[in-house]
Amino acid sequence: MPATPRNRTVARLRPFASTIFAEMTALAVSQDAINLGQGFPDSDGPVSMLDTARQSIADGLNQYPPGPGMPVLRQAVAADRLARYGLDHEPDSEVLITVGATEAISAAILGLVEPGEEVVLIEPYYDSYAASVALAGAVRRSVPLARSGTDFVLDLDALRAAITPKTRMLVVNTPHNPTGTVFTSDEVGAIAEIACEHDLLVLSDEVYEHLVFDGRTHTALATLPGMYERTVSVSSAAKTFNVTGWKIGWACGPSELIDAVRAAKQYMSFVGGGPFQPAIAHALTHEQKWVKELRDSLQTKRDVLYAALVGAGLDVLSGGGTYYLCADITGIGEHDGIDFCRRLPQRIGVAAVPVSVFTDHPQQWNTLVRFAFCKRDHVLEEAGRRLRTLGASRS
Ligand SMILES: *Cc1c(COP(=O)(O)O)cnc(C)c1O
């Protein structure tokens, strides 16, 4: 054995070898801190959905499902998108079931972008986008969101400036992780215009499509003129039904785009989550009321965390959806979000993640920290008590 192990990871994956989530979760565990770093809920989804999954196993649905996903789930996804967005997907050719939204994202980029072509990301961005672009041998260009008061807004000039003749795809995520921003219908409309003008493909990550607060509405990009034919819409059961461990997602779009996503997906996992697929079909069809209650309870949790962060002396950005709020730490004399997050578990027993890890320009984002509020009320209240001691524990 050599004294210093060589790094055998291929060069294009080396920058993505470790994630801050693993580091912060390990810190949270070792300090017995409340983990507001990773965005997973700590309560279960609808009981009838859980029962359907158990029944599916008992009924013997334990072998490979069909490559594109079980018909019952593809039909339920299509019916749901027709009911909520008026989008009419043909379930056999325009809906593909994937191993979470994560696989849909990777497969869409691998199946639709040639090596050397460019993909535009809006930063901060969900970490799997950059890794998937790298896997595809493509080139990423990132466009920062702009701050306007306590909101984040899309910088349309910067977006236009990032597009070159080599740009093949634009990745859009609204409601947005990590900022919680929900793009307005004007912003979504402007994205659509730019995509049509430059003939871009769009990967629309809508995993938080249901989780929008204060009467906001989510605009699905594929509903806009000229967009259906160029958009792969991705969503998942994870954030809608509190089942991040089931890894059931889907990609929807015109058949020529979905064919490309399937071509990549079938050699990544082929299929996944057999007995969970009928359970998610059941939930999409019968548990929309549960989802609305989830949304309302998350809005209340957002308010609880917001008050606690303000009480801690932080400047909180306004979040309109998702599981997250972002706060600026300069108001309490801190300037380095990574260092702040590394010390936070020991200082007050709470873990969070620095927003800079979701960007290509860490120095521009280094004063922002993301906190997740998808936790049980008593957990969130205790986190709030601990956060409020932050002013007193300045170090
Ligand atoms: C959680 C999340 C995903 C991944 O969803 P899975 O279904 O768990 O793979 C994708 N995109 C965003 C923005 C997320 O927050």
Side-chain angles (χ1 to χ4, degrees):
M1 285 283 280
T4 318
R6 279 182 297 161
N7 188 343
R8 303 298 298 264
T9 307
V10 291
R12 68 184 184 283
L13 278 182
R14 258 178 234 166
F16 308 100
S18 66
T19 78
I20 192 87
F21 301 105
E23 183 188 340
M24 292 304 158
T25 296
L27 259 178
V29 170
S30 75
Q31 302 286 337
D32 204 19
I34 297 175
N35 189 358
L36 303 187
Q38 215 174 8
F40 61 90
D42 58 359
S43 55
D44 272 332
V47 171
S48 72
M49 174 190 76
L50 304 175
D51 286 343
T52 307
R54 274 188 284 268
Q55 193 58 48
S56 300
I57 293 173
D59 290 347
L61 290 180
N62 300 306
Q63 310 309 325
Y64 298 127
M70 284 186 189
V72 66
L73 179 54
R74 281 184 277 123
Q75 283 155 12
V77 168
D80 177 51
R81 289 179 61 84
L82 181 61
R84 289 187 300 114
Y85 302 131
L87 288 167
D88 199 358
H89 299 281
E90 209 285 300
D92 288 338
S93 59
E94 301 189 323
V95 179
L96 174 69
I97 306 306
T98 56
V99 179
T102 306
E103 188 188 51
I105 291 161
S106 302
I109 295 172
L110 285 164
L112 290 163
V113 182
E114 297 283 1
E117 289 185 325
E118 295 175 3
V119 178
V120 174
L121 308 181
I122 295 167
E123 81 171 10
Y125 54 78
Y126 186 64
D127 54 353
S128 86
Y129 307 158
S132 297
V133 170
L135 278 175
V139 177
R140 78 173 179 274
R141 291 185 166 259
S142 58
V143 178
L145 286 177
R147 270 203 20 210
S148 163
T150 56
D151 290 326
F152 287 102
V153 294
L154 197 59
D155 182 343
L156 291 172
D157 293 333
L159 179 55
R160 282 200 188 86
I163 294 165
T164 77
K166 285 189 154 181
T167 309
R168 163 61 26 139
M169 180 185 273
L170 170 63
V171 182
V172 179
N173 169 220
T174 183
H176 183 255
N177 178 8
T179 65
T181 302
V182 180
F183 288 157
T184 63
S185 56
D186 282 354
E187 284 172 313
V188 176
I191 293 171
E193 265 175 39
I194 292 171
C196 291
E197 189 185 321
H198 296 277
D199 197 21
L200 305 179
L201 298 175
V202 175
L203 177 56
S204 183
D205 179 348
E206 305 181 18
V207 299
Y208 297 101
E209 60 187 319
H210 295 271
L211 306 184
V212 294
F213 310 140
D214 315 313
R216 287 179 180 79
T217 50
H218 167 65
T219 306
L221 260 170
T223 61
L224 296 175
M227 291 306 288
Y228 186 82
E229 54 265 42
R230 64 182 68 253
T231 304
V232 176
S233 303
V234 169
S235 194
S236 150
K239 314 294 167 51
T240 301
F241 296 115
N242 283 9
V243 282
T244 58
W246 284 14
K247 298 300 292 187
I248 301 292
W250 45 88
C252 302
S255 59
E256 65 269 25
L257 297 185
I258 296 304
D259 284 349
V261 184
R262 190 187 317 108
K265 180 263 186 298
Q266 65 193 347
Y267 299 112
M268 295 165 69
S269 60
F270 178 44
V271 292
F276 300 126
Q277 293 193 24
I280 300 302
H282 172 89
L284 283 169
T285 312
H286 299 290
E287 294 289 359
Q288 295 287 336
K289 183 163 161 281
W290 185 93
V291 177
K292 291 198 174 69
E293 287 162 8
L294 171 70
R295 176 200 62 199
D296 293 345
S297 82
L298 282 166
Q299 178 176 321
T300 305
K301 291 175 196 294
R302 188 270 320 259
D303 295 342
V304 169
L305 179 64
Y306 186 94
L309 294 173
V310 169
L314 299 166
D315 294 316
V316 190
L317 282 292
S318 48
T322 74
Y323 284 172
Y324 313 105
L325 276 174
C326 287
D328 195 310
I329 57 177
T330 40
I332 56 166
E334 298 275 349
H335 301 282
D336 181 346
I338 294 181
D339 176 60
F340 175 82
C341 288
R342 286 210 170 103
R343 284 185 290 120
L344 200 60
Q346 201 200 356
R347 232 170 122 182
I348 61 164
V350 173
V353 288
V355 170
S356 63
V357 303
F358 300 91
T359 77
D360 294 330
H361 305 94
Q363 62 300 341
Q364 284 173 32
W365 294 93
N366 206 15
T367 64
L368 286 177
V369 173
R370 188 193 80 173
F371 296 86
F373 50 79
C374 48
K375 304 296 171 187
R376 281 170 291 174
D377 291 341
H378 72 93
V379 174
L380 209 52
E381 275 154 26
E382 177 57 26
R385 268 190 290 279
R386 295 180 187 188
L387 281 164
R388 285 188 172 86
T389 66
L390 199 54
S393 78
R394 270 197 206 169
S395 60

